[in-house]
Amino acid sequence: MSEPHDSTPTGPRDARHAWARLRRAGSPRPSRSNLLAMLLALALGFAIIAQVRQTSIQGLETLREDELVRILSDVDQDGDQLSGEVRDLQSSLELLKSRTTGEQEAQRAAQERLDALGILAGTAPAKGPGILLRIEDPQRLVRQNLLLDAVQELRAAGAEAIQVGDVRVVASTWFADTDGGGISVSGSEVTPPYVIRAIGDPNTLAGAMQIPGGVTATARRAGAEASVDIRDEVEVDALLSVTTPQYARPVPTSTP
Amino acid sequence: MIPALGLAVGVLVGLLLQPTVPVWLQPYLPIAVIAALDAVFGAVRAILDGIFSDKVFVVSFLSNVVVAAFIVFLGDKLGVGSQLSTGVVVVLGVRIFSNVASIRRHLFDA
């Protein structure tokens, strides 16, 4: 910094003089000007503190127009940025929501399919309105073809789930006579009285059993006694475990 | 000594009273304070130069404050308030620095 007013060289003597001058100037001299100077200094101290305080609590109201404009544009910019962020987040929220809905929909459809297939394949218990066909055969006169006919008639009448004794009837179920005069259903022997449970429209099923020349008539001719019991709720609770086919392989089809 | 005492008392009173600056004074006070500080340093330098005069100090103090406030007022009216304030602060700051440098040479020979 250039100091054009301070060209005179100073030495130790001058420094002593300077301190003495300062002391002299500082010594109390009750003159009017000195008093005024003190008042001014007092006002200066007060003003400094007031300004410092003011600066520390300053709000927007003391700012100049251009500063306010700058702050306003800053705030505008921030607002734009934040609303853009809000838009982004909302769109991703929508995306996630729709994805979740789609997944739930797919899961519901899959569950429905699983239930239907479970009932078809015999891996899920089923209950509903249906009939209970009871064939009393103490002398073991009934052969497997009667049960097979009964099952086929029930299927033809729209039975959705059938159980013979404790064996679920599915696509692979077979009937055979055993040597002891009994009947084997898919390898497990059932003994009289034969109880066939079928879920479906009860009246249709019962009608199919009782038509002339139908199952009940055939049973009676064979020497057994068949009775049909219409129930509001029949439980088909025998289960099969699904075995993976050993030879059959699905042929890939073009899914729509 | 008495002006220094006055300054200390003023600071103390300000701390005790916790004053708020009235709105009409708010744009001018900071510049006025800087101008007054310039006058004070100028006065100390004048003492050391041996040319101090109470009258000159009082007049320069008041005129500094009034002129600084007037410049700020004018700048606000002309729409260049902040630039002019900055200019005044720079000029007064330079003056304070040069005064302090002179005082330093007088007192410490450095």
Side-chain angles (χ1 to χ4, degrees), chain A residues 129-142:
Chain A
I131 62 162
L132 210 137
L133 176 67
R134 193 180 171 88
I135 302 174
E136 300 283 358
D137 181 27
Q139 286 125 42
R140 302 211 165 194
L141 301 169
V142 168

Side-chain angles (χ1 to χ4, degrees), chain A residues 137-146 181 192 194 219 221-224:
Chain A
D137 181 27
Q139 286 125 42
R140 302 211 165 194
L141 301 169
V142 168
R143 309 311 298 159
Q144 52 88 9
N145 55 358
L146 180 71
Y194 307 110
R221 249 204 325 278

Side-chain angles (χ1 to χ4, degrees), chain A residues 77-163:
Chain A
Q77 223 168 358
D78 282 358
D80 284 351
Q81 203 177 338
L82 289 175
S83 56
E85 230 166 87
V86 167
R87 264 198 308 281
D88 285 356
L89 290 174
Q90 262 171 352
S91 67
S92 60
L93 178 68
E94 293 294 325
L95 192 69
L96 289 173
K97 262 186 187 165
S98 67
R99 207 177 281 169
T100 312
T101 323
E103 274 172 18
Q104 278 173 345
E105 200 69 21
Q107 197 176 5
R108 211 171 48 77
Q111 186 62 46
E112 271 175 14
R113 205 169 156 72
L114 179 67
D115 291 345
L117 289 176
I119 289 172
L120 267 184
T123 55
K127 65 180 178 181
I131 62 162
L132 210 137
L133 176 67
R134 193 180 171 88
I135 302 174
E136 300 283 358
D137 181 27
Q139 286 125 42
R140 302 211 165 194
L141 301 169
V142 168
R143 309 311 298 159
Q144 52 88 9
N145 55 358
L146 180 71
L147 293 189
L148 184 59
D149 283 349
V151 166
Q152 307 216 76
E153 286 289 341
L154 287 170
R155 283 229 173 103
E160 290 168 355
I162 303 171
Q163 174 176 348

Side-chain angles (χ1 to χ4, degrees), chain B residues 25-92:
Chain B
L25 196 60
Q26 277 175 2
Y28 309 116
L29 189 61
I31 302 296
V33 166
I34 302 289
L37 277 178
D38 173 53
V40 167
F41 281 109
V44 174
R45 184 190 171 177
I47 289 173
L48 295 175
D49 283 344
I51 55 171
F52 178 75
S53 139
D54 286 342
K55 205 176 105 190
V56 170
F57 169 62
V58 170
V59 169
S60 76
F61 187 103
L62 291 178
S63 78
N64 259 17
V65 168
V66 168
V67 168
F70 176 72
I71 287 175
V72 172
F73 169 79
L74 202 63
D76 272 347
K77 290 297 165 213
L78 295 177
V80 289
S82 59
Q83 291 96 319
L84 213 50
S85 298
T86 310
V88 170
V89 169
V90 168
V91 169
L92 292 176

Side-chain angles (χ1 to χ4, degrees), chain A residues 39 42 44 81 109 134 137 155 164 176 204 214:
Chain A
L39 277 180
L42 196 142
L44 176 60
Q81 203 177 338
R134 193 180 171 88
D137 181 27
R155 283 229 173 103
V164 176
T204 312

